[in-house]
Amino acid sequence: MFRNGSKPGKKTGRGSLLRRPIRRCWVLFLLPTAAAFAVGFAWPFLQGIYLSFCSFITTGDARWIGIGNYLSAFRDRGFLYSFRYTALFAVVSLVLINVLAFAVAYVLTRGIRGSNLFRTVFFMPNLIGGIVLGYIWSILFDGVLRWYNTSILLEARYGFWGLIILVCWQQVGYMMIIYIAGLQAVPEDMLEAARIDGAGSWQTLRRVTIPNLMPSITICTFLSLTNGFKLFDQNLALTGGAPFRFETAADGTLSTIKTTEMLALNIYNTFYGQSSAARGTAQAKAVLFFVLVASISIAQLRATRSREVQQ
Amino acid sequence: VNEKKGVFRARRRRKAVLSTIFSVIAILYVLPVGVVLINAFKSNFFVKTKTFSLPDAESFVGLELY
């Protein structure tokens, strides 16, 4: 017998009365979301994988050709170059964005005067779209590089560091907000205990603050890593892949290497820029791109989650 | 008491220094937006040739670009 005298299984609370139809008809309640997921994500995703094994111009005339698109993707020297270039860019931007964002967040949670204004200023570039950002910075870089009789479009290393500066400028503010939230959530009694135990500020940072900040670090590294790999608009607007380099392969074929072209831009150029016969190759590249980003993100999430501290 | 006052004073000084450094960084941070705003009143040719200079009689086009 229950405490209130009701029979077992017959709950009398208002909440449970409301919840009962939901439990009984859960399929009905799940259906709209499941349908939206299937139509908006699962079906296009599966169709995309299917198309990567086809030769097509429109989705209606797809013809199965097996792994031919994947083979031509791997034979494309420009794609392999973009692969390496994007990986390097993602690693450098990941480190710089997170170090800078953490440093800014750390200082802005010290209670300095004007910290709210500084937060606004650092977050502001995040409100500007990628294409506009690219054009703004191309004007600035060319304005500076003109003094040295060069341009951002003439040197690959200028393009690389230009993109790095651009994404840092854009994303540091966003990551800073996440780090500030994490720093404010570090229990004050832990910090006080560390101080009483005689820990210096560096020791407190290393042994107390950072371990408690691991959830924020997980989110920020995940976001900056995936953003680094997926970068498209800024790359298109700032350099468009320039400067170009021409290479001759062992079999005598001439290939164009766009020295600042990242993976997403390479896929876009393959799909729209070349002959329509290359659309299947672009689709195969997109699937490879997805596999790469997903597997790296999962590995990174596992690595950083294992270091999180339970409070 | 004097030691405590000294610690507080040092802390306040450190915060003032950080505030000053961050003010400079913040100004540099918004500079690109400022340059774009200034360039919005210059003709295309001068945007490319005199990117960082203020509009003068030669380069100023008023609200024409708007």
Side-chain angles (χ1 to χ4, degrees):
Chain A
M1 216 48 165
F2 275 16
R3 225 179 344 172
N4 58 6
S6 60
K7 285 176 188 168
K10 202 170 188 176
K11 291 171 190 167
T12 52
R14 197 168 175 271
S16 45
L17 272 174
L18 282 174
R19 235 177 275 133
R20 208 187 298 156
I22 297 175
R23 277 197 193 141
R24 209 177 290 159
C25 312
W26 62 272
V27 179
L28 197 70
F29 286 96
L30 195 72
L31 209 63
T33 315
F37 179 75
V39 173
F41 179 77
W43 171 246
F45 182 73
L46 294 173
Q47 175 84 352
I49 292 175
Y50 168 71
L51 286 173
S52 72
F53 293 99
C54 295
S55 170
F56 67 97
I57 294 173
T58 62
T59 49
D61 67 354
R63 189 170 46 84
W64 182 269
I65 57 160
I67 58 164
N69 287 329
Y70 287 90
L71 293 177
S72 55
F74 282 115
R75 270 198 300 266
D76 183 354
R77 291 159 73 96
F79 179 65
L80 298 177
Y81 176 87
S82 299
F83 206 94
R84 286 194 301 271
Y85 186 79
T86 309
L88 179 68
F89 175 85
V91 171
V92 175
S93 66
L94 165 82
V95 173
L96 282 177
I97 288 170
N98 283 285
V99 168
L100 290 172
F102 177 75
V104 172
Y106 190 71
V107 174
L108 294 186
T109 47
R110 300 291 94 185
I112 64 167
R113 195 173 287 177
S115 53
N116 280 340
L117 178 73
F118 296 140
R119 284 179 203 185
T120 312
V121 166
F122 289 122
F123 186 77
M124 191 192 57
N126 201 62
L127 304 174
I128 307 171
I131 292 281
V132 179
L133 273 183
Y135 289 132
I136 289 175
W137 280 95
S138 79
I139 289 170
L140 294 176
F141 288 133
D142 278 343
V144 173
L145 291 171
R146 194 171 300 114
W147 298 332
Y148 303 97
N149 285 325
T150 183
S151 163
I152 193 159
L153 301 177
L154 294 176
E155 281 259 9
R157 64 194 164 118
Y158 294 154
F160 179 81
W161 288 109
L163 277 169
I164 291 285
I165 292 170
L166 193 159
V167 293
C168 283
W169 191 67
Q170 187 189 17
Q171 289 176 28
V172 161
Y174 190 82
M175 303 303 162
M176 173 203 73
I177 297 291
I178 299 172
Y179 280 125
I180 285 176
L183 283 166
Q184 284 171 341
V186 176
E188 191 55 41
D189 51 349
M190 269 193 192
L191 296 169
E192 204 176 330
R195 267 196 297 272
I196 291 166
D197 286 347
S201 46
W202 174 244
Q203 277 175 314
T204 311
L205 177 73
R206 255 193 78 195
R207 306 279 179 201
V208 181
T209 310
I210 289 178
N212 278 291
L213 205 65
M214 277 317 285
S216 298
I217 293 173
T218 304
I219 296 165
C220 286
T221 45
F222 172 77
L223 287 177
S224 40
L225 192 70
T226 50
N227 285 345
F229 272 103
K230 293 187 303 182
L231 198 81
F232 174 74
D233 326 21
Q234 293 88 333
N235 190 201
L236 180 70
L238 189 70
T239 64
F244 301 161
R245 196 174 68 211
F246 299 98
E247 279 183 7
T248 314
D251 60 351
T253 51
L254 188 74
S255 52
T256 312
I257 307 288
K258 296 178 177 174
T259 53
T260 58
E261 186 185 59
M262 295 178 69
L263 270 178
L265 185 60
N266 181 277
I267 293 166
Y268 170 83
N269 283 335
T270 311
F271 198 91
Y272 292 108
Q274 297 172 3
S275 67
S276 50
R279 288 191 171 176
T281 311
Q283 197 64 43
K285 285 179 179 180
V287 172
L288 291 169
F289 179 54
F290 164 76
V291 171
L292 172 82
V293 175
S295 50
I296 289 175
S297 305
I298 291 167
Q300 177 267 321
L301 278 176
R302 285 210 173 138
T304 44
R305 280 244 169 96
S306 64
R307 288 163 191 257
E308 285 180 12
V309 191
Q310 299 298 320
Q311 282 175 21
Chain B
V1 173
N2 276 346
E3 199 179 318
K4 245 184 185 175
K5 266 186 186 172
V7 170
F8 279 126
R9 211 174 293 150
R11 204 175 287 169
R12 211 180 304 149
R13 203 179 305 136
R14 203 181 310 146
K15 280 184 181 176
V17 170
L18 280 174
S19 231
T20 312
I21 293 169
F22 265 71
S23 300
V24 175
I25 295 171
I27 290 167
L28 292 174
Y29 216 77
V30 291
L31 212 60
V33 179
V35 172
V36 170
L37 278 177
I38 290 166
N39 280 325
F41 296 100
K42 290 198 278 189
S43 67
N44 237 355
F45 175 75
F46 290 100
V47 170
K48 286 174 183 164
T49 52
K50 290 179 179 176
T51 311
F52 300 104
S53 63
L54 286 168
D56 52 21
E58 201 181 13
S59 60
F60 186 66
V61 290
L63 295 174
E64 196 185 306
L65 298 172
Y66 288 93

